[in-house]
Amino acid sequence: GITVDNAFVLGPEPGSALPAGGQAGAFLALTTPSNDRLVSVSAPGTAASVTVTGGQVDLPPYTLVNLGGPAPQIVLTGLTSPLTGGQTVMLVLNFATAGSFSVSVPVEPAAYDYATYPPPALPVPIPTATTNAKVKKKARASATAAASPSATP
């Protein structure tokens, strides 16, 4: 079967919480005696969605596949409630051959060895030409409207 080692979710600094609706990175290492692939991850009751950056992860036999830090490769998005260090999170790992299984992982505070781990990167929207044109028109209209009243005594 598949072995999961060093699994944890990176929480906030001690004494604080990651907010509901926010993001958290998950870290783990996987090994398997036969070829397999990590297809997806979910966190029922904890996050609305989970993304594996780079897509599916191939697992060659008897090879450690480290999905560790410092930058998270598994990102929990849309946290359903605040998350603090000391809690546990259930992750469901879905594999192409081995199927799905659940693992309970601790939420580690961003302190000590984990203090230098960065939070998950925020998704950056990519503007389109149409969006830019609309924004420019709105900006001109608001600049003109704002300038007219201040120019009149």
Side-chain angles (χ1 to χ4, degrees):
I2 294 176
T3 303
V4 179
D5 289 312
N6 303 323
F8 68 95
V9 170
L10 184 62
E13 293 180 359
S16 62
L18 296 177
Q23 294 183 315
F27 303 85
L28 51 88
L30 302 166
T31 52
T32 181
S34 58
N35 281 324
D36 210 332
R37 183 180 326 108
L38 177 64
V39 176
S40 64
V41 179
S42 62
T46 301
S49 66
V50 179
T51 303
V52 179
T53 59
Q56 299 180 3
V57 178
D58 289 328
L59 305 173
Y62 300 105
T63 303
L64 178 69
V65 176
N66 187 7
L67 299 175
Q73 295 179 40
I74 300 172
V75 179
L76 286 66
T77 303
L79 297 175
T80 56
S81 61
L83 201 58
T84 60
Q87 291 179 287
T88 57
V89 170
M90 184 66 63
L91 296 179
V92 178
L93 307 174
N94 302 300
F95 297 93
T97 303
S100 299
F101 66 91
S102 300
V103 58
S104 181
V105 300
V107 177
E108 294 289 342
Y112 308 108
D113 291 341
Y114 306 118
T116 59
Y117 281 40
L122 295 175
V124 177
I126 300 170
T128 62
T130 305
T131 302
N132 285 341
K134 289 179 182 177
V135 170
K136 287 181 181 178
K137 287 180 183 177
K138 288 180 183 175
R140 278 189 219 126
S142 66
T144 302
S148 295
S150 62
T152 306

Coordinates of all heavy atoms in Angstrom, one line a residue, residues 37-134:
R37 N -0.6 7.1 -9.0 CA -0.7 8.5 -9.2 C -1.6 9.1 -8.2 O -2.8 8.6 -8.1 CB -1.1 8.8 -10.7 CG -1.2 10.2 -11.0 CD -1.6 10.5 -12.5 NE -1.2 9.5 -13.4 CZ -2.1 8.6 -14.0 NH1 -3.4 8.7 -13.7 NH2 -1.7 7.8 -14.9
L38 N -1.2 10.2 -7.6 CA -2.1 11.0 -6.8 C -2.9 11.8 -7.7 O -2.4 12.7 -8.4 CB -1.3 11.9 -5.8 CG -2.2 12.8 -4.9 CD1 -3.1 12.0 -4.0 CD2 -1.3 13.8 -4.1
V39 N -4.2 11.6 -7.8 CA -5.1 12.2 -8.7 C -5.7 13.5 -8.2 O -5.8 14.5 -8.8 CB -6.3 11.2 -9.1 CG1 -7.3 11.9 -10.0 CG2 -5.7 10.0 -9.8
S40 N -6.1 13.5 -6.9 CA -6.7 14.6 -6.3 C -6.7 14.5 -4.7 O -6.4 13.4 -4.2 CB -8.2 14.9 -6.7 OG -9.0 13.8 -6.3
V41 N -7.0 15.6 -4.1 CA -7.1 15.6 -2.6 C -8.3 16.4 -2.3 O -8.6 17.4 -2.9 CB -5.8 16.3 -2.0 CG1 -5.9 16.3 -0.5 CG2 -4.5 15.6 -2.4
S42 N -9.0 16.0 -1.2 CA -10.1 16.8 -0.7 C -10.0 16.9 0.8 O -9.2 16.2 1.4 CB -11.4 16.3 -1.1 OG -11.6 15.0 -0.6
A43 N -10.7 17.9 1.4 CA -10.6 18.1 2.8 C -12.1 18.4 3.3 O -12.4 19.5 3.6 CB -9.7 19.2 3.2
P44 N -12.9 17.3 3.3 CA -14.3 17.5 3.7 C -14.5 18.1 5.1 O -13.9 17.7 6.0 CB -14.9 16.1 3.6 CG -13.8 15.2 3.2 CD -12.6 15.9 3.1
G45 N -15.4 19.1 5.1 CA -15.6 19.8 6.4 C -14.6 20.8 6.8 O -14.8 21.5 7.7
T46 N -13.5 20.9 6.0 CA -12.5 21.9 6.3 C -12.3 22.9 5.2 O -12.1 24.1 5.5 CB -11.1 21.1 6.5 OG1 -11.3 20.2 7.6 CG2 -10.0 22.1 6.9
A47 N -12.3 22.5 3.9 CA -12.1 23.4 2.8 C -13.0 23.1 1.7 O -13.4 22.0 1.4 CB -10.6 23.3 2.3
A48 N -13.4 24.2 1.0 CA -14.4 24.1 -0.1 C -13.7 23.3 -1.3 O -14.3 22.6 -2.0 CB -14.8 25.5 -0.6
S49 N -12.4 23.6 -1.4 CA -11.7 22.9 -2.5 C -10.2 22.7 -2.1 O -9.7 23.4 -1.2 CB -11.8 23.6 -3.8 OG -11.1 24.9 -3.7
V50 N -9.6 21.7 -2.8 CA -8.1 21.5 -2.6 C -7.5 21.4 -3.9 O -8.0 20.7 -4.8 CB -7.9 20.2 -1.8 CG1 -6.4 20.0 -1.6 CG2 -8.6 20.3 -0.4
T51 N -6.4 22.1 -4.1 CA -5.7 22.1 -5.4 C -4.3 21.5 -5.2 O -3.6 21.8 -4.2 CB -5.5 23.6 -5.9 OG1 -6.8 24.2 -6.0 CG2 -4.8 23.6 -7.3
V52 N -3.9 20.6 -6.1 CA -2.6 20.1 -6.2 C -1.9 20.9 -7.3 O -2.2 20.7 -8.4 CB -2.5 18.6 -6.4 CG1 -1.1 18.1 -6.5 CG2 -3.3 17.8 -5.4
T53 N -0.9 21.7 -6.9 CA -0.3 22.6 -7.9 C 0.5 21.7 -8.8 O 1.1 20.7 -8.4 CB 0.7 23.6 -7.3 OG1 1.7 22.9 -6.5 CG2 0.0 24.6 -6.4
G54 N 0.4 21.9 -10.1 CA 1.0 21.1 -11.1 C 0.2 19.9 -11.5 O 0.6 19.1 -12.4
G55 N -1.0 19.8 -11.0 CA -1.9 18.7 -11.3 C -1.5 17.4 -10.7 O -1.0 17.3 -9.6
Q56 N -1.8 16.3 -11.3 CA -1.7 14.9 -10.7 C -0.2 14.7 -10.5 O 0.7 15.2 -11.2 CB -2.3 13.9 -11.7 CG -3.8 14.1 -11.9 CD -4.4 13.0 -12.8 OE1 -3.7 12.1 -13.2 NE2 -5.7 13.2 -13.0
V57 N 0.1 13.8 -9.5 CA 1.5 13.5 -9.1 C 1.8 12.1 -9.3 O 1.1 11.2 -8.7 CB 1.7 13.9 -7.6 CG1 3.2 13.6 -7.2 CG2 1.4 15.4 -7.4
D58 N 2.8 11.8 -10.2 CA 3.2 10.4 -10.4 C 4.0 9.8 -9.3 O 4.8 10.6 -8.7 CB 4.0 10.3 -11.7 CG 3.2 10.5 -13.0 OD1 2.0 10.1 -13.0 OD2 3.8 11.1 -13.9
L59 N 3.7 8.6 -8.9 CA 4.4 7.9 -7.8 C 5.1 6.7 -8.3 O 4.5 5.6 -8.4 CB 3.4 7.5 -6.7 CG 2.5 8.6 -6.1 CD1 1.5 8.1 -5.2 CD2 3.3 9.7 -5.4
P60 N 6.4 6.8 -8.6 CA 7.2 5.6 -9.1 C 7.3 4.7 -7.9 O 7.3 5.1 -6.7 CB 8.5 6.2 -9.5 CG 8.3 7.7 -9.6 CD 7.2 8.0 -8.7
P61 N 7.5 3.4 -8.2 CA 7.7 2.4 -7.1 C 8.9 2.7 -6.3 O 10.0 3.0 -6.8 CB 7.7 1.1 -7.8 CG 8.0 1.4 -9.2 CD 7.6 2.8 -9.5
Y62 N 8.8 2.5 -5.0 CA 9.8 2.6 -4.0 C 10.6 3.9 -4.1 O 11.8 3.9 -3.8 CB 10.8 1.4 -4.1 CG 10.1 0.1 -3.8 CD1 9.7 -0.8 -4.9 CD2 9.7 -0.3 -2.5 CE1 9.1 -1.9 -4.7 CE2 9.0 -1.4 -2.3 CZ 8.7 -2.3 -3.4 OH 8.0 -3.4 -3.1
T63 N 10.0 5.0 -4.4 CA 10.6 6.3 -4.5 C 9.8 7.3 -3.6 O 8.6 7.4 -3.7 CB 10.6 6.8 -6.0 OG1 11.2 5.8 -6.8 CG2 11.2 8.2 -6.1
L64 N 10.5 8.0 -2.8 CA 9.9 9.0 -1.9 C 9.5 10.2 -2.8 O 10.3 10.8 -3.5 CB 10.8 9.4 -0.8 CG 10.3 10.5 0.1 CD1 9.2 10.0 1.0 CD2 11.4 11.1 1.0
V65 N 8.2 10.5 -2.8 CA 7.7 11.7 -3.5 C 7.4 12.7 -2.4 O 6.4 12.5 -1.6 CB 6.5 11.4 -4.4 CG1 6.0 12.6 -5.0 CG2 6.9 10.4 -5.4
N66 N 8.2 13.7 -2.3 CA 8.1 14.7 -1.2 C 7.2 15.9 -1.7 O 7.7 16.7 -2.6 CB 9.4 15.2 -0.8 CG 9.4 16.1 0.5 OD1 8.3 16.2 1.1 ND2 10.5 16.6 0.8
L67 N 6.1 16.1 -1.1 CA 5.2 17.2 -1.4 C 5.3 18.2 -0.2 O 4.3 18.7 0.3 CB 3.8 16.8 -1.6 CG 3.6 15.8 -2.8 CD1 2.1 15.4 -2.9 CD2 4.0 16.5 -4.1
G68 N 6.6 18.3 0.2 CA 6.8 19.2 1.4 C 7.2 20.6 1.0 O 7.1 21.0 -0.2
G69 N 7.7 21.3 1.9 CA 7.9 22.8 1.7 C 9.2 23.1 1.2 O 10.0 22.2 0.7
P70 N 9.5 24.4 1.2 CA 8.7 25.3 2.0 C 7.5 25.8 1.3 O 6.5 26.2 2.0 CB 9.7 26.5 2.2 CG 10.7 26.5 1.1 CD 10.8 25.0 0.7
A71 N 7.4 25.9 0.0 CA 6.2 26.3 -0.7 C 5.2 25.1 -0.8 O 5.6 24.1 -1.2 CB 6.5 26.9 -2.0
P72 N 3.9 25.4 -0.4 CA 3.0 24.2 -0.5 C 2.6 23.8 -1.9 O 2.5 24.7 -2.8 CB 1.7 24.8 0.3 CG 1.8 26.3 0.1 CD 3.3 26.6 0.0
Q73 N 2.5 22.5 -2.1 CA 2.1 22.0 -3.4 C 0.6 21.5 -3.3 O 0.0 21.2 -4.3 CB 3.0 20.8 -3.8 CG 4.4 21.3 -4.1 CD 5.3 20.2 -4.5 OE1 5.0 19.3 -5.2 NE2 6.6 20.2 -4.0
I74 N 0.1 21.4 -2.1 CA -1.3 21.1 -1.9 C -1.9 22.3 -1.1 O -1.4 22.6 0.0 CB -1.5 19.8 -1.1 CG1 -0.8 18.6 -1.8 CG2 -2.9 19.5 -0.8 CD1 -0.7 17.3 -1.0
V75 N -2.9 22.9 -1.7 CA -3.5 24.1 -1.1 C -5.0 23.9 -0.8 O -5.8 23.6 -1.7 CB -3.3 25.3 -2.1 CG1 -3.9 26.6 -1.5 CG2 -1.8 25.5 -2.4
L76 N -5.3 24.1 0.4 CA -6.7 24.1 0.9 C -7.3 25.5 0.7 O -6.7 26.4 1.2 CB -6.9 23.6 2.3 CG -6.6 22.2 2.7 CD1 -5.2 21.7 2.4 CD2 -7.0 21.9 4.1
T77 N -8.4 25.6 0.0 CA -9.0 26.9 -0.3 C -10.4 27.0 0.2 O -11.1 26.0 0.1 CB -8.9 27.2 -1.9 OG1 -7.6 27.1 -2.3 CG2 -9.4 28.6 -2.2
G78 N -10.8 28.1 0.6 CA -12.2 28.3 1.1 C -12.4 27.6 2.5 O -13.3 26.8 2.6
L79 N -11.5 27.9 3.4 CA -11.6 27.2 4.7 C -13.0 27.4 5.3 O -13.6 28.5 5.2 CB -10.6 27.7 5.7 CG -9.1 27.5 5.3 CD1 -8.2 28.2 6.3 CD2 -8.8 26.0 5.3
T80 N -13.6 26.4 5.8 CA -15.0 26.5 6.2 C -15.2 27.1 7.6 O -16.2 27.6 8.0 CB -15.7 25.1 6.3 OG1 -14.9 24.2 7.1 CG2 -15.8 24.5 4.8
S81 N -14.1 27.1 8.4 CA -14.1 27.8 9.7 C -12.6 28.2 10.0 O -11.7 27.7 9.4 CB -14.6 26.8 10.8 OG -13.8 25.7 10.9
P82 N -12.4 29.0 11.0 CA -11.0 29.4 11.4 C -10.2 28.2 11.7 O -10.7 27.2 12.3 CB -11.2 30.3 12.6 CG -12.6 30.9 12.4 CD -13.4 29.7 11.8
L83 N -8.9 28.2 11.4 CA -8.0 27.1 11.6 C -6.9 27.6 12.5 O -6.2 28.6 12.2 CB -7.5 26.6 10.3 CG -7.0 25.2 10.1 CD1 -8.0 24.2 10.5 CD2 -6.5 25.0 8.7
T84 N -6.6 26.8 13.6 CA -5.5 27.2 14.5 C -4.6 26.0 14.7 O -5.0 24.8 14.4 CB -6.1 27.6 15.9 OG1 -6.8 26.5 16.4 CG2 -7.0 28.8 15.7
G85 N -3.4 26.3 15.1 CA -2.4 25.2 15.4 C -3.0 24.3 16.5 O -3.7 24.7 17.4
G86 N -2.7 23.0 16.4 CA -3.2 22.0 17.4 C -4.4 21.3 16.9 O -4.8 20.2 17.5
Q87 N -5.1 21.8 15.9 CA -6.3 21.1 15.4 C -5.8 20.0 14.5 O -4.7 19.8 14.2 CB -7.2 22.0 14.6 CG -7.9 23.1 15.4 CD -8.7 24.0 14.5 OE1 -8.2 24.8 13.8 NE2 -10.0 23.9 14.5
T88 N -6.8 19.1 14.1 CA -6.5 18.1 13.1 C -7.4 18.3 11.9 O -8.5 18.8 12.1 CB -6.6 16.7 13.6 OG1 -7.9 16.5 14.1 CG2 -5.6 16.4 14.7
V89 N -7.0 17.9 10.7 CA -7.7 18.0 9.5 C -7.8 16.7 8.8 O -6.7 16.0 8.8 CB -7.1 19.1 8.6 CG1 -7.7 19.1 7.2 CG2 -7.1 20.5 9.2
M90 N -8.9 16.3 8.3 CA -9.0 15.0 7.6 C -8.8 15.3 6.1 O -9.5 16.2 5.5 CB -10.4 14.4 7.8 CG -10.6 13.1 7.1 SD -9.6 11.8 7.8 CE -10.2 11.7 9.4
L91 N -7.8 14.7 5.5 CA -7.5 14.8 4.1 C -7.9 13.5 3.4 O -7.6 12.4 4.0 CB -6.0 15.1 3.8 CG -5.5 16.4 4.3 CD1 -4.0 16.5 3.9 CD2 -6.2 17.6 3.7
V92 N -8.6 13.6 2.3 CA -8.9 12.4 1.5 C -8.0 12.4 0.3 O -8.1 13.3 -0.5 CB -10.4 12.3 1.1 CG1 -10.7 11.1 0.2 CG2 -11.3 12.4 2.3
L93 N -7.1 11.4 0.2 CA -6.2 11.3 -0.9 C -6.7 10.3 -1.9 O -7.1 9.2 -1.6 CB -4.8 10.8 -0.4 CG -4.2 11.6 0.7 CD1 -2.9 10.9 1.2 CD2 -3.9 13.0 0.3
N94 N -6.9 10.7 -3.2 CA -7.4 9.9 -4.2 C -6.3 9.5 -5.2 O -5.7 10.3 -5.9 CB -8.5 10.7 -5.0 CG -9.6 11.1 -4.0 OD1 -10.2 10.3 -3.4 ND2 -9.8 12.5 -3.9
F95 N -6.1 8.2 -5.3 CA -5.1 7.6 -6.2 C -5.7 6.9 -7.4 O -6.8 6.3 -7.2 CB -4.2 6.7 -5.4 CG -3.5 7.3 -4.2 CD1 -4.0 7.4 -3.0 CD2 -2.2 8.0 -4.5 CE1 -3.3 8.0 -1.9 CE2 -1.6 8.6 -3.4 CZ -2.1 8.7 -2.2
A96 N -5.0 6.8 -8.5 CA -5.5 6.2 -9.7 C -5.7 4.7 -9.5 O -6.7 4.1 -9.9 CB -4.5 6.4 -10.8
T97 N -4.7 4.0 -8.8 CA -4.8 2.6 -8.6 C -5.3 2.2 -7.2 O -6.1 1.3 -7.1 CB -3.4 1.9 -8.9 OG1 -3.0 2.3 -10.2 CG2 -3.4 0.4 -8.8
A98 N -4.7 2.8 -6.2 CA -5.0 2.4 -4.8 C -6.4 2.9 -4.4 O -6.8 2.4 -3.3 CB -3.9 2.9 -3.9
G99 N -7.0 3.8 -5.1 CA -8.3 4.3 -4.7 C -8.1 5.4 -3.7 O -7.1 6.1 -3.7
S100 N -9.1 5.6 -2.9 CA -9.2 6.8 -1.9 C -9.0 6.3 -0.5 O -9.5 5.2 -0.2 CB -10.5 7.5 -2.0 OG -10.7 8.0 -3.3
F101 N -8.3 7.1 0.3 CA -8.2 6.8 1.7 C -8.0 8.1 2.5 O -7.5 9.1 1.9 CB -7.2 5.7 2.1 CG -5.8 6.1 1.9 CD1 -5.0 6.7 2.9 CD2 -5.2 5.7 0.7 CE1 -3.7 6.9 2.7 CE2 -3.8 6.0 0.5 CZ -3.1 6.6 1.5
S102 N -8.5 8.1 3.7 CA -8.4 9.3 4.5 C -7.3 9.2 5.5 O -6.9 8.2 6.0 CB -9.7 9.4 5.3 OG -10.8 9.5 4.5
V103 N -6.7 10.4 5.8 CA -5.6 10.5 6.7 C -5.9 11.8 7.6 O -6.2 12.8 7.0 CB -4.3 10.5 6.0 CG1 -4.1 11.7 5.1 CG2 -3.1 10.6 7.0
S104 N -5.8 11.6 8.9 CA -5.9 12.7 9.8 C -4.6 13.4 10.0 O -3.6 12.7 10.4 CB -6.5 12.2 11.1 OG -6.7 13.3 12.0
V105 N -4.4 14.7 9.7 CA -3.2 15.3 9.8 C -3.3 16.5 10.8 O -4.3 17.2 10.9 CB -2.6 15.8 8.5 CG1 -2.5 14.6 7.5 CG2 -3.5 16.8 7.9
P106 N -2.2 16.8 11.5 CA -2.2 17.9 12.5 C -2.0 19.2 11.8 O -1.5 19.3 10.7 CB -1.0 17.6 13.4 CG 0.0 16.9 12.5 CD -0.9 16.1 11.6
V107 N -2.6 20.3 12.4 CA -2.3 21.7 12.0 C -1.2 22.2 12.8 O -1.3 22.3 14.0 CB -3.6 22.5 12.1 CG1 -3.3 24.0 11.7 CG2 -4.7 22.0 11.3
E108 N 0.0 22.4 12.2 CA 1.2 22.9 12.9 C 1.2 24.4 12.8 O 1.0 25.0 11.7 CB 2.4 22.3 12.2 CG 2.5 20.8 12.3 CD 2.8 20.3 13.7 OE1 3.3 21.1 14.5 OE2 2.6 19.1 14.0
P109 N 1.5 25.1 13.9 CA 1.6 26.5 13.9 C 2.9 26.9 13.1 O 3.8 26.2 13.0 CB 1.8 26.9 15.4 CG 2.2 25.7 16.1 CD 1.7 24.5 15.3
A110 N 2.8 28.1 12.5 CA 3.9 28.7 11.7 C 4.9 29.2 12.7 O 5.1 30.4 12.9 CB 3.4 29.8 10.8
A111 N 5.7 28.3 13.3 CA 6.7 28.6 14.3 C 7.8 27.6 14.2 O 7.7 26.5 13.6 CB 6.0 28.6 15.7
Y112 N 8.9 27.9 14.9 CA 10.0 27.0 14.9 C 10.5 26.6 13.5 O 10.8 27.5 12.7 CB 9.8 25.8 15.8 CG 9.3 26.2 17.2 CD1 7.9 26.0 17.5 CD2 10.1 26.8 18.1 CE1 7.5 26.3 18.8 CE2 9.6 27.2 19.3 CZ 8.3 27.0 19.7 OH 7.8 27.3 20.9
D113 N 10.5 25.3 13.2 CA 11.0 24.9 11.9 C 10.1 25.3 10.7 O 10.5 25.4 9.6 CB 11.1 23.3 11.8 CG 12.2 22.8 12.7 OD1 13.1 23.5 13.1 OD2 12.1 21.6 13.0
Y114 N 8.8 25.6 11.0 CA 7.9 26.0 10.0 C 7.7 27.5 9.9 O 6.9 28.0 9.1 CB 6.5 25.4 10.3 CG 6.6 23.9 10.4 CD1 6.2 23.3 11.6 CD2 7.1 23.1 9.4 CE1 6.3 21.9 11.8 CE2 7.2 21.7 9.5 CZ 6.8 21.1 10.7 OH 6.9 19.8 10.9
A115 N 8.5 28.3 10.7 CA 8.3 29.8 10.7 C 8.7 30.4 9.3 O 8.2 31.4 9.0 CB 9.1 30.4 11.8
T116 N 9.5 29.8 8.5 CA 10.0 30.3 7.3 C 9.1 29.8 6.1 O 9.4 30.2 4.9 CB 11.5 30.0 7.0 OG1 11.6 28.6 7.0 CG2 12.3 30.6 8.1
Y117 N 8.2 28.9 6.3 CA 7.4 28.4 5.2 C 6.4 29.5 4.8 O 5.7 30.1 5.6 CB 6.5 27.2 5.7 CG 7.3 25.9 5.7 CD1 8.6 25.8 6.1 CD2 6.7 24.7 5.3 CE1 9.3 24.6 6.1 CE2 7.4 23.5 5.3 CZ 8.7 23.5 5.7 OH 9.3 22.3 5.8
P118 N 6.3 29.8 3.5 CA 5.4 30.9 3.0 C 4.0 30.4 3.0 O 3.8 29.2 2.8 CB 5.9 31.2 1.6 CG 6.5 30.0 1.1 CD 7.1 29.3 2.4
P119 N 3.0 31.2 3.1 CA 1.6 30.8 2.9 C 1.4 30.5 1.4 O 2.2 30.9 0.6 CB 0.8 32.0 3.3 CG 1.7 33.2 3.1 CD 3.1 32.7 3.4
P120 N 0.3 29.9 1.1 CA 0.0 29.6 -0.3 C -0.1 30.9 -1.1 O -0.6 31.9 -0.6 CB -1.4 28.9 -0.3 CG -1.6 28.4 1.1 CD -0.8 29.3 2.0
A121 N 0.3 30.9 -2.3 CA 0.2 32.0 -3.2 C -1.2 32.3 -3.5 O -2.0 31.4 -3.8 CB 1.0 31.8 -4.5
L122 N -1.6 33.6 -3.5 CA -3.0 33.9 -3.9 C -3.1 33.9 -5.4 O -2.2 34.2 -6.1 CB -3.3 35.4 -3.4 CG -3.3 35.5 -1.9 CD1 -3.5 37.0 -1.6 CD2 -4.4 34.7 -1.3
P123 N -4.2 33.3 -5.9 CA -4.4 33.3 -7.3 C -4.5 34.7 -7.9 O -5.1 35.6 -7.3 CB -5.8 32.6 -7.5 CG -6.4 32.5 -6.2 CD -5.4 32.8 -5.1
V124 N -3.8 34.9 -9.0 CA -3.8 36.3 -9.6 C -4.7 36.2 -10.9 O -4.4 35.4 -11.8 CB -2.3 36.6 -10.0 CG1 -2.3 38.0 -10.7 CG2 -1.5 36.6 -8.8
P125 N -5.7 37.1 -10.9 CA -6.6 37.1 -12.1 C -5.8 37.6 -13.3 O -5.0 38.5 -13.2 CB -7.7 38.0 -11.7 CG -7.3 38.8 -10.6 CD -6.2 38.0 -9.9
I126 N -6.1 37.0 -14.4 CA -5.4 37.4 -15.7 C -6.4 38.3 -16.4 O -7.4 37.8 -16.9 CB -4.9 36.2 -16.5 CG1 -4.0 35.4 -15.7 CG2 -4.3 36.7 -17.8 CD1 -3.6 34.1 -16.3
P127 N -6.1 39.6 -16.6 CA -7.1 40.5 -17.2 C -7.1 40.2 -18.7 O -6.1 39.8 -19.3 CB -6.6 41.9 -17.0 CG -5.1 41.7 -16.6 CD -5.0 40.3 -16.1
T128 N -8.2 40.4 -19.4 CA -8.3 40.3 -20.8 C -8.4 41.7 -21.4 O -8.6 42.7 -20.7 CB -9.6 39.5 -21.2 OG1 -10.7 40.3 -20.7 CG2 -9.6 38.1 -20.6
A129 N -8.2 41.8 -22.7 CA -8.2 43.1 -23.4 C -9.6 43.8 -23.2 O -9.6 45.0 -23.0 CB -7.9 42.9 -24.9
T130 N -10.7 43.0 -23.2 CA -12.0 43.5 -23.0 C -12.1 44.1 -21.6 O -12.6 45.2 -21.4 CB -13.1 42.5 -23.2 OG1 -12.8 41.9 -24.5 CG2 -14.4 43.0 -23.1
T131 N -11.6 43.4 -20.6 CA -11.7 43.9 -19.2 C -10.9 45.2 -19.1 O -11.4 46.1 -18.5 CB -11.2 42.8 -18.3 OG1 -11.9 41.6 -18.5 CG2 -11.3 43.3 -16.8
N132 N -9.7 45.2 -19.6 CA -8.9 46.5 -19.5 C -9.6 47.6 -20.2 O -9.6 48.7 -19.6 CB -7.6 46.2 -20.2 CG -6.7 45.4 -19.3 OD1 -6.9 45.2 -18.2 ND2 -5.6 44.8 -20.0
A133 N -10.2 47.4 -21.3 CA -10.9 48.5 -22.0 C -12.1 49.1 -21.1 O -12.2 50.3 -21.0 CB -11.5 48.1 -23.4
K134 N -12.8 48.2 -20.5 CA -13.9 48.6 -19.7 C -13.4 49.4 -18.4 O -13.9 50.4 -18.0 CB -14.8 47.4 -19.2 CG -15.6 46.8 -20.3 CD -16.4 45.6 -19.8 CE -17.2 45.0 -20.9 NZ -17.9 43.8 -20.5

